Each structure stands twice: as C-alpha cells, then as structure tokens.
Amino acid sequence: MIKNHFYLLSGETTTIAIAECLAILESLNMDYKAEKYDQILLLNAEEESCQRIAERAAMVHRCCISLFKCEADFNQIMTSLRDTDFQKHISARETFAVRVKRIKNYSPEVSSLLLEKEIGAFIHRSVGARANLENPDKLFYGVLTDGVFLFGISVRESERKALGLRKAKFRPFFIPSSMNPHLARAMVNLSRARPKEFFLDPFCGAGGLLIEAGLMGCKTIGSDVDKKMVRGAKRNLLHFNVVNWNIILSDAKHLPFNRFDSIATDPPYGGSASTKGARPEELIEFFLQELDELSSPKGYVCLGTPLTINVNEFISGTSFRIVEKHLIPVHKSLTRQIIVLRK
Ligand SMILES: C[S@@+](CC[C@H](N)C(=O)[O-])C[C@H]1O[C@@H](n2cnc3c(N)ncnc32)[C@H](O)[C@@H]1O
C-alpha cells in the first residue's frame, strides 16, 4: 500500500541524509514522490519503504506515518487536527504521548509546548485515550520546519544508535584516518549497494566501509596496499561478525578483480593516511581509470575526497559522470566532498 511517511534527518548534512534515503529506495526499485524540508523528508511510497529506510539509513533518526502537513500557524494546525479522524489511529484503551520538535529556530512564534498540550487534549477528547508520557502505546510526533508543520505517528526509530557502537574507538584495530561509521554507512548506501551483490572498497584502510557493507548483507571485497591495514581490517570484520568477505593486499592502480556492482571508497590524501609516495591527485586519476573497467554498467561509485581535488578533471577520459556531490566541513582547512559517479 502507498503511504506518506516523513523522516526526521540528522542535522549534520541534510543533502546527504536526503540522498541516502532516496538511494535506498532506488536500490530497492521502489518508486516515490518526495518533498524536501530542512531535516525532514516527506515520502509518498510503498509502506514497506519506511522499514527498509529505518533499517539501513545512517542519517535518519525516526520515521513517522504522516497524518497531515500544514502551514506552521497555530490556528491552521488546530483546523488540520479537527479534520483528522483519530479513531482510525488510536483506540480508547490505548495510551499516547505527543511530542513536537522544532528544527533549528523555525516558526518561533508557535509554542511547541502549547502545541503538545492542545493536541494531547484534543486526542483525549476525540477518542477517550489517556496520556502516558513515559511508555505510551502510540507516540504522536509533530515537527516545525521551513514554515510548515508535519504531524504523524512515530513508527520506529532508526538503527543509528547501533552504528555508534562501531566507532573506530570500539574496534580492535584503529587508525586516525578511520571514517566514522555514520558517514561510512551513508556512502555505502549512496553507492546503491544491495544485499547479496558485490561491493568493493579498494582503499579499505581499517575496513570502516567494508564493515557497513558486510553488515548490510553485501558480498564484500576490500584491498589496501599496506599489509598492516589488510591484517587490521580483517580483525575488525571478524570482530563485528561480518560474513561473506575477502580482503587482499593490492595497489588500487592495478586491481586484480572483475566486475563490481557497487563501489565506495575513501582514497588517501596525505596527512595521516599514507599515499605511499604517490601524489593524491595522481592516485585518484589512475584509480578512476581502473574503476572504469571494474564498475558494472549500471553500478554507482561513491568517492570521498578533499574539496581541493577536481574530480571532473579526472573523469574526463572515462565513461563516468557526476550525479551527486555533497560537502562536509571537517575542520577549518578541510572540506570533504562526497561524490557519486555513474556511467
Ligand atoms: C583514508 S584511508 C581509508 C580509511 C578507511 N575508509 C577507514 O575507515 O578505515 C586510505 C587507505 O588507502 C591506502 N592506500 C594508499 N595508497 C594505496 C594504493 N595505491 N592502493 C591501495 N591502497 C592504498 C592506505 O594504506 C590507507 O589505508
């Protein structure tokens, strides 16, 4: 059944969070219509999409069935509330809580506390259900963002908290250039990786991207030019009980592999991640030419590089084109770009 759901997104990088959800739907061949707001994505799609996104996405906090969307104006909200048939969503025997979240400083004239109180009183009057703020059967969730108010029933929280348990400091093998698991998972999703299909990270380092692809059920292959990394990544994958993987010692400029369905990688750019004497630009240029042979005609490649690297220049001789680009400020002198390529 087609339904409207809205997703509360992580505030770090909204463009990646939205792109990640849409990439998951694309990998599942699900059609959708999308409306984008600051930290909120409203999707009209198969009901199952909510479960799939909540299980896989790194940048989603919560998923809600949408009951209505209106202007962020107190009277408009009360009118939309009166037009909603709550008997369809909660019975007199169930308990409920109402939570209203304000994104950033949107609609400061609308009090979220007053909304919670008035909406709660309205639901109680309409169906006779009682409030229970500690452990409700149903959680009604409202969001004020971008001049609109979205209201729905929380269906589930995402697996984002579990990702935190895979941070570099919790792994047996740790390197300073390790990517955080949230970004690693988002990059795997942006590569449109699918369970049971082949996923490659040819600059695997300590294996952050491989862990995420492996736990999503991909057949995961990694390689690195440094023996210490190959050994360390293997320890990390075993530690998180990843199955169906292989990691080998190999130079990404000459990879001994055949076709891959999806590729996500974070090549070194000096600093703490060694390029083994090569110029970072040279490495990326050679590697993209090598990938041109390896990536399947329908496959995507997700690449993390510093903003100073002009990827456009390096793909000019290949069959790749850039389909997405997201910027992540890391510190004063480094902005990372996450680029998605496709043939
Ligand atoms: C930025 S790190 C990858 C970090 C990884 N994403 C993680 O979360 O641990 C880049 C890796 O590329 C490896 N590397 C450098 N030159 C390489 C080459 N020519 N071929 C393959 N790997 C290379 C380095 O040894 C390093 O482990």
Side-chain angles (χ1 to χ4, degrees), residues 1-8 25 31-37 40-51 53 62-70 89 141 149-156:
M1 204 201 306
I2 304 288
K3 280 207 165 166
N4 283 332
H5 288 104
F6 65 85
Y7 297 83
L8 178 61
L25 293 185
D31 288 333
Y32 60 82
K33 284 190 198 121
E35 283 179 35
K36 301 166 190 176
Y37 302 96
I40 291 285
L41 177 65
L42 175 61
L43 283 177
N44 177 259
E46 273 298 328
E47 191 169 8
E48 194 204 333
S49 58
C50 164
Q51 206 67 7
I53 290 176
R62 178 183 296 283
C63 164
C64 300
I65 294 175
S66 175
L67 298 184
F68 67 81
K69 180 195 81 184
C70 66
H89 304 292
Y141 207 86
F149 179 70
L150 293 105
F151 187 71
I153 303 177
S154 175
V155 186
R156 58 170 286 177

Side-chain angles (χ1 to χ4, degrees), residues 257-273:
F257 300 126
N258 293 320
R259 280 273 143 95
F260 279 88
D261 303 300
S262 51
I263 297 164
T265 195
D266 171 34
Y269 34 87
S272 56

